[in-house]
Amino acid sequence: MQKDKSSLRCLALLALLSSTFLVADLGADEGMWLFNQIPFETLREKHQFVPDPGWAEHLLRACVRLSSGGSGSFVSPEGLILTNHHVGSDALQKLSTPEKNLLAEGFLADARERELKCQDLEILSLVEIVDVTARVNGAVPQGADPAAAGKARREAMAVIEKESKDATGGKSEVVTLYQGGQYHLYRYKRYDDVRLVMAPETDIAFFGGDVDNFEYPRHDLDICLFRVYEGGKPARVEHYLRWSQSGAADGELVFVTGHPASTKRLNTVDHFRFLRDVEYPSMLAMLARKEITLQQYSIRGLEEERRARDELFGVQNSRKARRGVLAGLLDPAILLEKSRTEAEIRAKVVANPQFGATLEDWERIANARRAFVGFYDEYQFLENGRAFWSSLFGTARTLVRLGDEREKPNAERLPGYRESDMESLEQQLYSTAPIYADLEKVMLSDSLTSFATALGAEHPLVRMVLAGRSPIDRAANLVDGTKLLDVEARREVAKGGRKAIAASADPMIVLARAVDPYAREARRKYEDLVQGVEREAYGRIANALFKIRGTAVYPDATYTLRLAFGKVAGYVEGGQNVAPFTTLGGAFEKHEKHRGMPPFQLPKSWLDAREKLDLSTPFNFVATVDIVGGNSGSPVTNRKGEFVGIIFDGNIQSLVWDISYTEEAARCVAVASPSILEALRKIYGAAAVVEEILKASRG
Amino acid sequence: MQKDKSSLRCLALLALLSSTFLVADLGADEGMWLFNQIPFETLREKHQFVPDPGWAEHLLRACVRLSSGGSGSFVSPEGLILTNHHVGSDALQKLSTPEKNLLAEGFLADARERELKCQDLEILSLVEIVDVTARVNGAVPQGADPAAAGKARREAMAVIEKESKDATGGKSEVVTLYQGGQYHLYRYKRYDDVRLVMAPETDIAFFGGDVDNFEYPRHDLDICLFRVYEGGKPARVEHYLRWSQSGAADGELVFVTGHPASTKRLNTVDHFRFLRDVEYPSMLAMLARKEITLQQYSIRGLEEERRARDELFGVQNSRKARRGVLAGLLDPAILLEKSRTEAEIRAKVVANPQFGATLEDWERIANARRAFVGFYDEYQFLENGRAFWSSLFGTARTLVRLGDEREKPNAERLPGYRESDMESLEQQLYSTAPIYADLEKVMLSDSLTSFATALGAEHPLVRMVLAGRSPIDRAANLVDGTKLLDVEARREVAKGGRKAIAASADPMIVLARAVDPYAREARRKYEDLVQGVEREAYGRIANALFKIRGTAVYPDATYTLRLAFGKVAGYVEGGQNVAPFTTLGGAFEKHEKHRGMPPFQLPKSWLDAREKLDLSTPFNFVATVDIVGGNSGSPVTNRKGEFVGIIFDGNIQSLVWDISYTEEAARCVAVASPSILEALRKIYGAAAVVEEILKASRG
């Protein structure tokens, strides 16, 4: 293993030094490929893999996206879906009560009819991808400035989505790829009746907690099983993954099919500087504040801890991930490599006017980012809602915007409020998931404080929002005064439309209404001065890039389905070999080493089952496959398309993958298929689920 | 009790509304009085208390200040000092090893010769106060601009300090009072041989942890006993407090003698706005970051948790306190009151030119703060060292500055580097307290990251500091490369003076050397453009205030000895009466209610001793006495000058006392004297200590 990796490292180094270093290092397993642009040639040349016809289509159809933010896959024809525990945790949190804490205790439906219906979980299964670039760009009138062009494109996208929805009934989204280089229509089948089948205890799903998060070796059973229903019955699905009982082997080629949420690898260097000096510092300051606030709330008692659990996990997870990215952005070596690559692309662009880009495109992006700095805080606080850390405010804003947007022609509406979005919007808006007034107050007063200190307490917008009160008083006044905790009250307001909104005296609605013009103005500035300009400039750069690199360019991640591949492989850290696989036995060793102190406390179910388990069963493993956040829950498959594991993390070295792929020690982390079956069988007694999976795999 | 408080509230309200509301509400127990300006009249009129001659002098001499940041008092003629556990914790941390964790396990010297010598704890006992205002102001040449005037004053202060030190041998400090209205010389006796006598376990000293910090009711034995030595023997002291075995009673008049560190009550409204919009947000962002970083380090393992314990406590304590102050600053009612008071003072100033102040003085302060915003980050990061969160960097800077400053005439040196400071400086510089390289790296890389993101990674100063590395690499490079972990290496460099510094290749010294000119420039700008201007303007406003208010003005806290007084009194919170006293039994009830889960886990020593204890013994109590941070460890005494308790906290309502005293529900929190004796006797078997205290009280 070591030898292979050393030579790969040499290759990468050579490539870096070579003046022709323009394309992604093909020696490395880099790439989050579009399903309609799979690099079959690379697969054949590098991995001697020529898939059967239908192989890609099958993977595409077997994979799903969850509205709680993550990926999953069908593992039986009866709509059984496997995802991560930390992807399902939003649903687990919402289904929990003070008496029954599903996150802590886990869950197993002992019969189909006792599978628990989730309040607002939506699952999308991709059906089709259509390239609509020409149509979107064709909608832009000649000579339009970037703002007008942006508007024309947004309207064209809305029209395409509506047509697709009307024609097929499926959820339809036009996705902007290559920062504006291409536009593809994604058509999904939508499931809104999703039921919880099985979840282990958080203690083993997130064994090692925040300490081990983004670390390796790991011992986590980060899984959760849902089932989608149609017409009150388990949905019948054609495409599902067959289960490999032996799992993957060291060195084996594996594939990951999932929804990486966001990468910034194709950014210009000036855009990276913006991320480094403005966006990440701002985001990390917010996350640190939120983390402390949620911790302070959580330590009040066990019930408070339960209420804040999922939100706190999300904040901590983001904080750790983004600290890693910022460290990468502050590493001069990484930016130096980006600068070199950029310099060479710029040289090619200058030498080849026919590529259609000019150096001004880079300058336009730099200027757009510079302009953004001027209203960054207002945009984040008002339009992105950073001032209003409260689900009740979110509900109020949705109602206010729904009232306004519904009166507009579909193509002119804000994204999220178009006809094709209504089912999803209503599922969220009328969710019966619990909202805790005490937690809302704590969060809202924290974010109002942050808003007041960022803009200055005497800023007119701050004065308007605080209405003469301190942030603490104002949050209490809003949360105590609103009726939006009640789902029926929400329906009532929505039904009344714009008039009901205008007449409402509900303080949260009054606030959302008052803020909205300013939020929309910040959004308009962003769309016109930043997004519009960048889409055009990045679009031209991307087109030049296609001409320079051929097909060896994949777009940055967009929370849409991608295919990635690589090898199961250990790595070296601090001079030590890190083996690719851990075992179930290792979890018990770790528990003992830490004397069962949290977060290294195995649940009772595991301690009780120890004797029955095959402790040599592979538990977690690492591979070179290119993933980022959003890939959580993605299936790992082998050449035969069999399920060999499920992605749940990357190691600490992989955090820079947001901006730059490296293969030396960065790895994705997965739960191995054999350990899942072993646990379901011997720890959780989930015989029916195991039988369903195995039967599907035989069938 | 309730009735009294309601009427007090009415009085305060009337005063607020009255147009003559100019002076501190004499109905309230507000005031941190100078020992040379004690309001004897108020004591007589309001509390019918006329102290014996020598009463104040005795209190003054019995009280001490600790270099770790807090107060204490002598409780026996043999140099026995009582302070808080959280004031002693710095020493406890430094005396601990991986094998013997004094913070966790507590400590009791079973004989004098086994009292543990602290590495670098210094204790100061005040001897004398001399008003030197005329001399300091007299040193300013006529017509000098604020910068030149500031310089002249600083030099005059240095001369006075040196004269005093030469004449008396004691540590001498000229203190700036009323933000520049007066200058007083404080002469101290200094003890540098301090030994640990007794400390309880953190679990009971800080029972309730961060959850209960700044809350009430409390059940904390937040005490620690040290002894000062002279010539290798326990120091003989004349003034010490006699112990009241019965403690204080509800409603009783009590006194607090201690060192409140810093208040901002006399600030102008524009200065408050600066605190609200600039200083506190900046500080809180830093604290949140530090807290997360230390938590992340601590969760690596038990040894890491031990290493970071005291630093983490300090950060969490500051964060909670400062969040409280910021909430006050964001409360429009508080700033409205400040504005009203200020408007009336300004009106009097305009009407009475002979008072010597003008409206321009307020404008000058506002302008100075506005100017400060322009270089606030550079000042904080470079001069205040926020970029260099590392004790090794602190050592390097001290060495660099020592080399430079020693070559200057004493009067021109930086504060801290004058002849009168050398003993304290060397005690710190050559401390053998452990420094953990791994923790240093974590802290330093965190602060370097914050520096890089605040100024931008391409700022010339950031580039100079990072020297082409990422913050993580640079921190490792500095900590691994420096020899300053070794005390002998420090002595060597110090001995070589400026030449050795200039020649040093030690990376930490090289960095401190490179940064110093920029840090000094930021300091100069602060002194000339902010401090110099404000000293003059505040000085004139203060003098006008004396003329308006007579003697009813006390200066803001300056970490020098003050006398405060008030009544033992409960309060109402959320409609519930909060009783002034808790009992030892309450601690056991709390432990049971929380099922012994940290931070509500009583130590084994307490659980074992339960049967022996008188559970009705008063444990903690609250009073209206005006305190802030720095008062920790201050003795609470009764009319007879007897020790009835020790301050260790304020409740959450008291956090705004930094900017404004309110009496309605804000309270200081103390450990009651009876519980200390009960615990020493029956839980810790500290018979000799108890006997020493009781003998001293009889004697």
Side-chain angles (χ1 to χ4, degrees):
Chain A
M1 199 48 242
Q2 254 336 90
K3 198 160 172 293
D4 277 350
K5 293 217 298 121
S6 303
S7 35
L8 274 177
R9 194 176 167 182
C10 283
L11 268 177
L13 215 70
L14 275 174
L16 189 72
L17 297 171
S18 139
S19 67
T20 59
F21 178 65
L22 273 182
V23 299
D25 171 17
L26 283 181
D29 290 324
E30 175 172 357
M32 301 172 166
W33 304 97
L34 296 170
F35 264 81
N36 49 346
Q37 293 169 10
I38 294 177
F40 289 112
E41 223 167 299
T42 308
L43 279 172
R44 183 170 47 77
E45 284 175 13
K46 188 174 167 201
H47 297 286
Q48 296 76 51
F49 177 59
V50 182
D52 295 334
W55 172 88
E57 166 85 5
H58 177 68
L59 281 182
L60 179 152
R61 301 287 292 260
C63 193
V64 298
R65 188 172 86 177
L66 292 90
S67 60
S68 57
S71 306
S73 56
F74 288 114
V75 291
S76 97
E78 297 178 275
L80 188 65
I81 283 173
L82 180 66
T83 184
N84 287 149
H85 185 271
H86 78 270
V87 172
S89 63
D90 178 70
L92 294 167
Q93 174 90 53
K94 288 171 176 168
L95 287 168
S96 291
T97 62
E99 295 71 38
K100 183 86 189 152
N101 184 346
L102 300 185
L103 277 170
E105 298 158 25
F107 176 80
L108 174 66
D110 53 9
R112 288 272 164 97
E113 56 276 21
R114 277 187 289 280
E115 294 176 353
L116 292 179
K117 186 162 181 180
C118 303
Q119 288 101 324
D120 52 20
L121 182 58
E122 171 191 86
I123 288 184
L124 299 178
S125 163
L126 186 59
V127 176
E128 195 183 8
I129 307 175
V130 184
D131 188 337
V132 294
T133 309
R135 196 170 158 198
V136 171
N137 284 334
V140 177
Q142 275 235 289
D145 67 15
K151 186 163 180 284
R153 279 200 195 87
R154 284 193 299 276
E155 290 182 10
M157 288 158 78
V159 169
I160 294 167
E161 288 173 359
K162 173 131 201 319
E163 277 179 19
S164 166
K165 172 82 163 89
D166 289 348
T168 66
K171 178 154 179 140
S172 302
E173 282 177 5
V174 175
V175 181
T176 304
L177 298 164
Y178 302 100
Q179 275 89 330
Q182 294 188 10
Y183 299 87
H184 293 185
L185 170 66
Y186 279 62
R187 280 207 191 106
Y188 298 95
K189 180 167 175 56
R190 177 176 177 273
Y191 297 98
D192 62 6
D193 183 353
V194 183
R195 307 196 190 172
L196 176 64
V197 177
M198 186 270 165
E201 308 88 338
T202 297
D203 278 349
I204 186 62
F206 196 41
F207 187 61
D210 194 36
V211 186
D212 266 7
N213 197 14
F214 298 115
E215 303 285 348
Y216 200 75
R218 291 290 282 283
H219 303 83
D220 288 25
L221 188 72
D222 194 350
I223 63 155
C224 190
L225 287 156
F226 292 102
R227 190 186 306 282
V228 290
Y229 281 68
E230 285 187 302
K233 285 184 188 153
R236 299 293 310 174
V237 298
E238 191 186 341
H239 295 276
Y240 57 88
L241 300 179
R242 283 152 205 253
W243 200 280
S244 164
Q245 293 194 53
S246 55
D250 191 2
E252 184 175 345
L253 172 69
V254 290
F255 302 85
V256 171
T257 325
H259 302 82
S262 167
T263 57
K264 294 110 190 159
R265 297 181 191 167
L266 294 177
N267 279 3
T268 65
V269 171
D270 279 322
H271 196 156
F272 277 116
R273 292 197 175 104
F274 173 86
L275 298 181
R276 181 193 64 192
D277 295 340
V278 180
E279 186 161 312
Y280 274 78
S282 160
M283 217 157 33
L284 279 165
M286 172 193 72
L287 289 168
R289 223 193 49 242
K290 284 186 169 185
E291 184 167 353
I292 302 292
T293 296
L294 289 174
Q295 283 180 349
Q296 288 289 302
Y297 172 80
S298 296
I299 56 176
R300 289 185 192 169
L302 292 175
E303 172 59 10
E304 284 86 353
E305 190 186 342
R306 185 191 73 75
R307 292 179 179 190
R309 182 70 197 88
D310 193 50
E311 185 81 19
L312 179 56
F313 164 75
V315 168
Q316 290 180 322
N317 192 54
S318 291
R319 179 256 305 152
K320 206 162 178 178
R322 289 176 206 284
R323 280 195 168 197
V325 179
L326 180 61
L329 287 165
L330 286 168
D331 182 348
I334 291 181
L335 227 60
L336 185 67
E337 187 198 313
K338 296 277 182 196
S339 299
R340 280 189 186 145
T341 313
E342 182 166 300
E344 297 184 26
I345 297 170
R346 288 164 62 109
K348 297 248 179 194
V349 159
V350 168
N352 298 278
Q354 75 279 15
F355 286 178
T358 67
L359 294 191
E360 269 177 54
D361 289 320
W362 277 268
E363 204 43 51
R364 284 191 189 102
I365 293 165
N367 287 336
R369 288 287 139 181
R370 230 166 275 139
F372 196 15
V373 174
F375 62 99
Y376 187 78
D377 274 347
E378 272 163 74
Y379 179 76
Q380 293 300 343
F381 280 108
L382 299 177
E383 174 59 14
N384 258 0
R386 211 179 261 184
F388 312 103
W389 185 24
S390 148
S391 57
L392 290 168
F393 179 87
T395 299
R397 163 168 288 184
T398 301
L399 288 168
V400 167
R401 293 203 161 170
L402 193 58
D404 288 335
E405 296 301 309
R406 265 206 196 131
E407 308 212 338
K408 298 181 187 170
N410 187 58
E412 289 173 25
R413 293 187 198 166
L414 288 177
Y417 293 87
R418 296 172 189 152
E419 289 306 322
S420 52
D421 303 312
M422 278 304 141
E423 288 167 347
S424 303
L425 183 147
E426 289 180 359
Q427 189 178 6
Q428 289 301 314
L429 184 57
Y430 305 135
S431 167
T432 55
I435 293 174
Y436 303 104
D438 62 336
L439 180 54
E440 286 277 307
K441 285 182 200 172
V442 164
M443 298 192 320
L444 186 54
S445 67
D446 175 81
S447 65
L448 290 175
T449 297
S450 149
F451 178 51
T453 54
L455 270 68
E458 285 162 39
H459 191 290
L461 287 170
V462 174
R463 298 178 82 124
M464 180 190 81
V465 167
L466 292 181
R469 295 170 186 263
S470 72
I472 294 171
D473 289 348
R474 180 63 168 144
N477 150 267
L478 287 165
V479 174
D480 289 337
T482 187
K483 296 195 171 53
L484 297 177
L485 275 159
D486 175 15
V487 176
E488 282 316 306
R490 297 178 213 165
R491 286 190 197 276
E492 199 63 34
V493 177
K495 214 169 61 187
R498 202 172 176 177
K499 242 166 71 183
I501 293 288
S504 174
D506 186 293
M508 203 65 93
I509 290 178
V510 171
L511 175 64
R513 207 172 60 202
V515 165
D516 212 42
Y518 302 95
R520 283 176 182 266
E521 171 60 10
R523 183 189 186 96
R524 188 202 58 76
K525 275 157 87 175
Y526 175 73
E527 284 175 348
D528 290 356
L529 305 178
V530 186
Q531 196 186 57
V533 175
E534 290 188 346
R535 291 264 158 99
E536 303 237 307
Y538 270 122
R540 283 190 291 267
I541 293 174
N543 282 322
L545 216 53
F546 299 147
K547 284 165 189 147
I548 296 168
R549 293 189 183 172
T551 53
V553 191
Y554 57 92
D556 267 315
T558 45
Y559 199 34
T560 49
L561 197 68
R562 302 295 177 90
L563 177 75
F565 48 86
K567 283 181 170 174
V568 175
Y571 56 100
V572 179
E573 186 171 31
Q576 303 287 310
N577 285 331
V578 179
F581 284 95
T582 63
T583 63
L584 288 179
F588 290 92
E589 285 162 25
K590 218 167 190 174
H591 171 91
E592 276 148 26
K593 191 187 147 202
H594 291 273
R595 285 172 255 153
M597 296 279 283
F600 296 101
Q601 182 177 25
L602 285 176
K604 186 171 178 299
S605 63
W606 279 61
L607 298 174
D608 289 348
R610 179 172 188 160
E611 294 307 312
K612 288 182 278 180
L613 294 173
D614 174 357
L615 295 177
S616 70
T617 309
F619 194 177
N620 291 172
F621 67 97
V622 284
T624 60
V625 189
D626 193 358
I627 59 133
V628 290
N631 268 116
S632 287
S634 300
V636 187
T637 49
N638 59 20
R639 288 169 192 247
K640 290 189 273 181
E642 292 170 337
F643 175 88
V644 295
I646 176 169
I647 294 292
F648 72 98
D649 209 0
N651 65 1
I652 201 93
Q653 293 90 338
S654 79
L655 292 176
V656 291
W657 281 0
D658 269 30
I659 51 169
S660 194
Y661 179 88
T662 62
E663 189 175 290
E664 191 184 342
R667 295 290 180 274
C668 66
V669 185
V671 188
S673 60
S675 65
I676 299 175
L677 279 195
E678 183 78 0
L680 286 176
R681 234 188 230 128
K682 299 186 183 167
I683 298 173
Y684 298 103
V689 172
V690 170
E691 180 48 32
E692 179 178 350
I693 288 171
L694 292 182
K695 191 177 153 210
S697 301
R698 285 189 300 265
Chain B
M1 198 52 243
Q2 256 332 93
K3 195 156 175 293
D4 277 348
K5 293 215 297 118
S6 305
S7 36
L8 274 177
R9 195 175 167 181
C10 284
L11 268 176
L13 216 69
L14 276 173
L16 189 74
L17 297 173
S18 139
S19 66
T20 59
F21 177 65
L22 275 182
V23 299
D25 171 16
L26 284 180
D29 290 324
E30 175 172 357
M32 302 173 167
W33 303 97
L34 296 171
F35 265 82
N36 48 348
Q37 294 171 8
I38 294 176
F40 289 112
E41 222 167 300
T42 308
L43 279 172
R44 186 170 46 78
E45 284 175 11
K46 186 172 170 204
H47 296 287
Q48 296 75 51
F49 176 58
V50 181
D52 294 334
W55 173 88
E57 167 84 5
H58 177 70
L59 282 181
L60 178 153
R61 302 287 292 261
C63 192
V64 298
R65 189 172 86 179
L66 291 90
S67 60
S68 57
S71 306
S73 56
F74 287 115
V75 290
S76 98
E78 297 177 276
L80 188 66
I81 284 172
L82 179 68
T83 183
N84 287 149
H85 185 270
H86 79 270
V87 172
S89 63
D90 178 71
L92 294 167
Q93 174 89 54
K94 288 172 177 169
L95 287 168
S96 291
T97 62
E99 295 72 39
K100 182 88 191 150
N101 184 347
L102 301 185
L103 277 170
E105 299 158 24
F107 176 80
L108 174 67
D110 53 8
R112 290 269 163 96
E113 56 276 19
R114 277 187 288 282
E115 292 175 355
L116 292 179
K117 189 165 176 175
C118 303
Q119 288 103 322
D120 53 21
L121 182 58
E122 173 191 85
I123 287 184
L124 299 178
S125 161
L126 186 58
V127 176
E128 196 183 7
I129 307 175
V130 184
D131 188 336
V132 293
T133 310
R135 200 172 154 195
V136 171
N137 284 335
V140 178
Q142 276 235 288
D145 67 16
K151 188 163 179 284
R153 277 197 196 89
R154 285 194 299 276
E155 289 183 10
M157 288 158 78
V159 169
I160 294 167
E161 286 174 1
K162 173 128 200 323
E163 276 178 19
S164 166
K165 171 83 162 93
D166 289 348
T168 64
K171 179 154 178 139
S172 303
E173 282 177 5
V174 175
V175 181
T176 304
L177 298 163
Y178 302 101
Q179 274 92 326
Q182 293 188 12
Y183 299 88
H184 293 185
L185 170 66
Y186 279 63
R187 279 205 192 108
Y188 298 95
K189 180 166 175 55
R190 176 176 176 274
Y191 296 98
D192 63 5
D193 183 352
V194 183
R195 305 193 191 174
L196 176 64
V197 176
M198 186 272 166
E201 307 89 337
T202 298
D203 278 350
I204 186 61
F206 195 41
F207 187 63
D210 195 34
V211 186
D212 266 7
N213 197 15
F214 297 115
E215 302 285 350
Y216 201 75
R218 290 291 281 285
H219 304 83
D220 288 25
L221 188 71
D222 194 350
I223 64 154
C224 189
L225 287 156
F226 291 103
R227 191 186 304 282
V228 290
Y229 280 69
E230 285 188 302
K233 286 182 185 153
R236 300 291 312 174
V237 298
E238 194 186 339
H239 295 277
Y240 57 89
L241 300 179
R242 283 153 204 252
W243 199 281
S244 163
Q245 292 194 55
S246 53
D250 190 2
E252 185 176 344
L253 173 68
V254 290
F255 302 85
V256 171
T257 326
H259 301 82
S262 167
T263 57
K264 294 108 190 158
R265 297 180 191 166
L266 295 176
N267 280 3
T268 65
V269 171
D270 279 322
H271 196 156
F272 277 116
R273 292 195 175 105
F274 173 86
L275 299 181
R276 181 193 64 191
D277 295 340
V278 181
E279 187 161 311
Y280 274 78
S282 160
M283 219 157 32
L284 280 165
M286 173 193 72
L287 288 168
R289 224 193 49 244
K290 284 187 169 186
E291 185 167 354
I292 302 293
T293 297
L294 289 174
Q295 284 179 347
Q296 288 289 301
Y297 172 82
S298 296
I299 56 175
R300 290 185 191 169
L302 291 175
E303 172 59 8
E304 284 85 353
E305 188 186 344
R306 185 191 74 75
R307 291 180 179 188
R309 183 69 198 87
D310 192 50
E311 186 81 18
L312 179 56
F313 164 75
V315 167
Q316 290 180 320
N317 193 54
S318 291
R319 178 257 305 151
K320 204 160 179 178
R322 289 175 206 284
R323 280 194 168 196
V325 179
L326 180 61
L329 287 165
L330 286 167
D331 182 347
I334 291 182
L335 227 59
L336 184 67
E337 186 198 313
K338 296 277 183 196
S339 300
R340 279 189 185 147
T341 313
E342 183 167 299
E344 297 185 26
I345 296 170
R346 287 164 63 108
K348 296 250 177 190
V349 159
V350 169
N352 299 278
Q354 76 279 14
F355 286 177
T358 68
L359 294 191
E360 271 177 54
D361 289 319
W362 276 268
E363 205 41 52
R364 284 190 189 104
I365 293 165
N367 287 335
R369 288 286 138 183
R370 230 167 275 139
F372 195 17
V373 174
F375 62 98
Y376 186 79
D377 274 347
E378 273 162 73
Y379 179 78
Q380 293 300 342
F381 280 109
L382 299 177
E383 174 60 15
N384 258 1
R386 211 180 261 184
F388 313 103
W389 185 22
S390 148
S391 58
L392 289 168
F393 179 86
T395 298
R397 161 167 288 183
T398 301
L399 287 167
V400 167
R401 294 204 159 168
L402 193 60
D404 288 336
E405 297 300 309
R406 265 210 197 128
E407 306 210 340
K408 297 181 187 169
N410 187 60
E412 290 173 22
R413 294 187 198 166
L414 289 177
Y417 293 87
R418 297 173 188 153
E419 288 306 322
S420 51
D421 303 311
M422 277 306 140
E423 289 167 346
S424 303
L425 182 147
E426 290 181 358
Q427 189 178 5
Q428 290 300 314
L429 185 56
Y430 305 134
S431 166
T432 55
I435 294 174
Y436 303 102
D438 62 335
L439 180 54
E440 286 277 307
K441 285 182 201 173
V442 164
M443 299 191 321
L444 186 54
S445 66
D446 175 82
S447 64
L448 290 175
T449 298
S450 146
F451 178 50
T453 53
L455 270 69
E458 283 162 42
H459 190 288
L461 287 170
V462 174
R463 297 178 83 123
M464 181 188 80
V465 166
L466 292 181
R469 294 168 187 267
S470 72
I472 293 170
D473 289 348
R474 181 62 169 148
N477 151 267
L478 288 164
V479 174
D480 289 337
T482 186
K483 296 194 172 54
L484 297 178
L485 276 159
D486 174 15
V487 176
E488 281 317 304
R490 297 178 213 164
R491 285 189 198 277
E492 199 65 32
V493 178
K495 216 170 60 189
R498 202 173 176 176
K499 243 164 73 183
I501 294 287
S504 174
D506 187 293
M508 204 64 95
I509 290 178
V510 172
L511 175 64
R513 206 172 59 202
V515 165
D516 213 43
Y518 302 96
R520 282 175 183 267
E521 172 59 11
R523 184 190 187 95
R524 187 200 61 74
K525 274 157 86 176
Y526 175 72
E527 284 175 348
D528 290 356
L529 305 178
V530 186
Q531 195 187 59
V533 175
E534 290 187 348
R535 290 265 158 98
E536 303 236 306
Y538 270 123
R540 282 190 291 268
I541 293 174
N543 283 320
L545 216 53
F546 299 146
K547 283 165 189 148
I548 296 167
R549 292 190 186 174
T551 52
V553 192
Y554 58 91
D556 266 316
T558 45
Y559 199 32
T560 49
L561 198 68
R562 301 294 177 92
L563 178 74
F565 49 84
K567 281 183 173 175
V568 176
Y571 57 101
V572 180
E573 187 172 31
Q576 301 289 310
N577 284 332
V578 179
F581 285 94
T582 62
T583 63
L584 289 180
F588 290 92
E589 286 162 25
K590 217 166 190 174
H591 171 93
E592 276 147 27
K593 188 185 149 205
H594 292 272
R595 285 172 254 153
M597 294 281 282
F600 295 102
Q601 179 176 29
L602 284 176
K604 185 170 179 299
S605 61
W606 280 61
L607 298 174
D608 290 349
R610 179 172 189 161
E611 294 307 311
K612 287 182 280 182
L613 293 174
D614 175 356
L615 295 177
S616 69
T617 309
F619 195 177
N620 291 173
F621 67 97
V622 284
T624 60
V625 189
D626 191 359
I627 59 135
V628 289
N631 268 115
S632 287
S634 300
V636 186
T637 49
N638 59 20
R639 289 169 192 247
K640 289 188 273 180
E642 291 170 336
F643 175 89
V644 296
I646 176 170
I647 294 294
F648 73 98
D649 210 356
N651 65 1
I652 202 92
Q653 293 89 339
S654 79
L655 291 176
V656 291
W657 281 359
D658 269 31
I659 52 168
S660 195
Y661 179 88
T662 62
E663 189 176 287
E664 190 182 346
R667 295 291 181 273
C668 65
V669 185
V671 189
S673 59
S675 66
I676 301 175
L677 279 194
E678 182 79 358
L680 286 175
R681 233 189 231 128
K682 298 185 183 166
I683 298 173
Y684 297 103
V689 172
V690 170
E691 180 49 30
E692 181 179 347
I693 288 171
L694 292 183
K695 193 177 149 206
S697 301
R698 287 189 300 265

